Amino acid sequence: LMVVAGMAAVLTISRVLMYQGHMRSASILSLTGMWLVATGLVVFAGGMNSIDAVYYLALTIIGGLLLGSKAMIVIAVASSLAGLTMALNAHFGQPLQQLFPVPQIAGWINFSFSLFLIIITSDIALSNLHNALSLARRRLEERHKAEQERERLLVRVQEQARQVQQVMDTVPEGVVLLDEEGHVLSAN
């Protein structure tokens, strides 16, 4: 009950942080809370032989999707070290007691829930990636259109300059073009 209450508090605080625009902090807090709960589940289910260890895999993937590859590596290393500690304890005669034996159907449920977490997080990340790519495509198209318009205007200005030069070359009177400061730009 304390674990559920603690996780509810962590998720509530994470949600508040998320709504305040602190996505990274909310993600770190949520992942830390979930990692601690997963570690508790694995410990109380007897160690790394428990299907609950699959949560380490899910959290590693979720951490990578939410926070990037460095976070994924940190979660993977922390999970691996926690698992190694449990395995070494068992190897040296101090196995963890299985306080919560996991029946086969419960193992399947844990495994399926872990897959569900991976799918949901991946879907969110892929949706964000799709949106970012769509935005990049739109901006690229806008830039391409602007470049085409610039080229069209450049051709038009060059044509007008050629016409002005023709007039300058054919007019019988002397014509001088000056800039704002009085410097000669062109003369016939």
Side-chain angles (χ1 to χ4, degrees):
L1 186 59
M2 288 179 55
V3 171
V4 173
M7 197 61 210
V10 165
L11 292 176
T12 301
I13 294 168
S14 295
R15 188 177 177 116
V16 169
L17 287 171
M18 183 179 68
Y19 282 123
Q20 291 176 347
H22 304 289
M23 294 299 290
R24 186 168 181 78
S25 297
S27 296
I28 291 169
L29 182 61
S30 294
L31 285 166
T32 302
M34 287 188 288
W35 188 88
L36 291 171
V37 168
T39 300
L41 288 172
V42 173
V43 166
F44 292 125
M48 292 305 289
N49 289 331
S50 167
I51 188 66
D52 291 333
V54 75
Y55 288 119
Y56 285 143
L57 299 174
L59 289 172
T60 299
I61 294 168
I62 292 167
L65 292 172
L66 291 176
L67 298 169
S69 60
K70 288 181 182 177
M72 184 172 61
I73 291 168
V74 167
I75 294 169
V77 168
S79 299
S80 181
L81 290 174
L84 178 62
T85 302
M86 290 178 237
L88 289 175
N89 280 344
H91 179 73
F92 291 113
Q94 298 294 325
L96 296 170
Q97 291 183 350
Q98 194 172 15
L99 299 177
F100 303 124
V102 181
Q104 291 295 318
I105 193 71
W108 173 80
I109 291 170
N110 285 340
F111 179 74
S112 297
F113 184 68
S114 182
L115 289 175
F116 172 76
L117 290 175
I118 292 169
I119 289 168
I120 293 298
T121 309
S122 298
D123 184 58
I124 291 168
L126 291 173
S127 176
N128 288 339
L129 181 60
H130 175 74
N131 291 341
L133 287 173
S134 294
L135 178 62
R137 280 190 195 108
R138 278 195 307 276
R139 288 182 177 170
L140 187 59
E141 288 172 6
E142 290 170 2
R143 189 174 183 175
H144 181 68
K145 286 178 183 177
E147 182 66 24
Q148 287 177 330
E149 179 65 13
R150 188 188 72 77
E151 289 292 327
R152 188 186 68 73
L153 291 173
L154 181 62
V155 167
R156 187 171 164 197
V157 166
Q158 288 172 338
E159 177 59 28
Q160 288 175 349
R162 187 188 61 74
Q163 290 172 353
V164 167
Q165 190 59 46
Q166 273 184 333
V167 169
M168 294 283 289
D169 291 343
T170 58
V171 74
E173 284 87 27
V175 177
V176 177
L177 291 175
L178 304 173
D179 64 12
E180 299 85 27
E181 297 173 0
H183 297 106
V184 174
L185 295 175
S186 179
N188 65 354

